[in-house]
Amino acid sequence: MWRIGQLARMTGVSERTLRHYDDIGLLAPAAVDGVTGYRWYGVTELSRLERIRGLQRLGLPLRLIADLLDAPEAQLRQALAETMTGIRREIATLAATAARAQDHLDAPMSILPQQAAVGPRRLRVRRTRVRHPSELAALCPAAPAALLTWLDGPPADGFTCAVTTGRAGEQLTLPARTVVRAVVPPSAGVVPAGHELFGWLRRHHLAVDGPTLEEHLVDADGRRATVLEVPVHPENRPDRSAGRSRTMST
C-alpha cells in the first residue's frame, strides 16, 4: 500500500489532483486511516489512475471518464468517436479564424467584415440614375436612411441607384439572404471602405447576389455610423440572379 505522496511521486500526478479525484468520486483510496486521515492506495487504485490518465490523453473530459472507466469497449469507442468529431470541428474553427487573421495581416483593412444570415426587409425607395459613382456622395441621405446601388463592377456607363424615402416611394423587398456586413469607422471614408469590402469578397471567393445597402444610422445620443451590407453567394454556386443587375457599393 502507498500513501498519497508516494503514489503521486510514482505516477507524476500531484497530491492535489489525487484529492480532487477522490472528492468527485473518480478515484477513492483503498483505505483511509481513521486516526491520521492518511489515504492509502493499492494496485487496484494505481491501475484505475493509469486508465484515467490514458483516457484524458485521448481527449476525454473527467465528467465523461467517470462514466467510461468501467464501461464496455463499444461504449468507449463511441465516446471517442464523438470526441474526435468535436475536436475536428474545433480545429476547423481555429483554422478558419487563423485564415481570417492572416488575411487581415496580408491586406490591412480599416473594416472587419462579418458574414451573417438576415431576414427579409421592406423599404420605400426613390430610384434615380447617375452617370458616375462620384455623384453618389450628393445622394447619400441623412441618417437614418439608406442608399442602394445596382452594380457588380466598375460601371462603363450610367447606372441606377435608390434612396430610402420613409413612407412615400416605390416599395422594395429585400429577401432573406446571406450578407457580408461591415461598419465603417469614423476614421475611414465610405468609398475606401467599399473598395476594401469588395476586395475582401474577391479574396474569399464570394460573388455579389443583390443590391448593396449603404445604411446611415444614428443613435439616441446623436452618434452616427455607416454600415455597408452586401448580399453574397459562393462564386462556384450557379447564379440564381442571372439576367438581372447586381450591386457594388462605391
Side-chain angles (χ1 to χ4, degrees):
M1 299 286 282
W2 306 286
R3 282 174 47 180
I4 190 170
Q6 293 173 301
L7 182 64
R9 288 189 295 274
M10 288 169 56
T11 60
V13 177
S14 69
E15 292 185 33
R16 180 178 180 181
T17 296
L18 291 173
R19 292 190 181 93
H20 177 62
Y21 287 173
D22 187 10
D23 291 340
I24 64 176
L26 194 59
L27 179 65
V32 178
D33 191 297
V35 177
T36 63
Y38 291 157
R39 293 175 169 90
W40 293 92
Y41 297 84
V43 170
T44 299
E45 290 70 43
L46 174 63
S47 299
R48 187 176 179 87
L49 176 59
E50 289 303 317
R51 184 167 174 79
I52 292 169
R53 298 177 71 198
L55 293 176
Q56 280 186 300
R57 285 192 292 269
L58 294 178
L60 297 175
L62 287 179
R63 58 178 174 75
L64 186 56
I65 289 174
D67 298 329
L68 295 173
L69 275 172
D70 304 310
E73 180 66 17
Q75 186 176 338
L76 173 59
R77 294 180 67 85
Q78 177 63 29
L80 287 175
E82 293 172 358
T83 298
M84 284 300 301
T85 298
I87 290 173
R88 291 191 179 101
R89 189 181 301 116
E90 291 175 7
I91 290 172
T93 299
L94 289 172
T97 300
R100 287 192 292 269
Q102 188 62 53
D103 177 74
H104 198 77
L105 289 172
D106 293 341
M109 299 173 65
S110 62
I111 57 175
L112 294 171
Q114 303 291 327
Q115 191 166 333
V118 298
R121 184 173 177 181
R122 292 182 179 180
L123 302 171
R124 289 283 182 178
V125 302
R126 173 177 55 83
R127 293 180 188 255
T128 187
R129 191 166 180 81
V130 297
R131 292 172 297 178
H132 190 272
S134 61
E135 298 177 33
L136 291 175
L139 292 174
C140 289
L147 173 71
L148 296 96
T149 52
W150 277 263
L151 293 168
D152 61 2
D157 200 351
F159 59 94
T160 299
C161 64
V163 177
T164 54
T165 59
R167 294 185 179 181
E170 169 194 350
Q171 180 170 297
L172 177 67
T173 299
L174 301 178
R177 59 213 182 275
T178 298
V179 303
V180 172
R181 181 188 296 119
V183 177
V184 181
S187 59
V190 175
V191 172
H195 288 307
E196 289 179 359
L197 179 58
F198 279 85
W200 187 92
L201 295 180
R202 288 191 296 271
R203 293 195 302 276
H204 288 78
H205 308 291
L206 295 171
V208 181
D209 195 28
T212 294
L213 192 65
E214 178 184 319
E215 193 161 20
H216 298 262
L217 306 174
V218 59
D219 65 15
D221 297 322
R223 297 186 180 90
R224 298 173 182 271
T226 301
V227 179
L228 300 178
E229 184 177 281
V230 185
V232 296
H233 68 74
E235 284 183 341
N236 59 357
R237 194 201 72 181
D239 187 358
R240 297 174 304 176
S241 59
R244 79 180 187 203
S245 57
R246 290 176 292 164
T247 303
M248 185 179 77
S249 181
T250 59

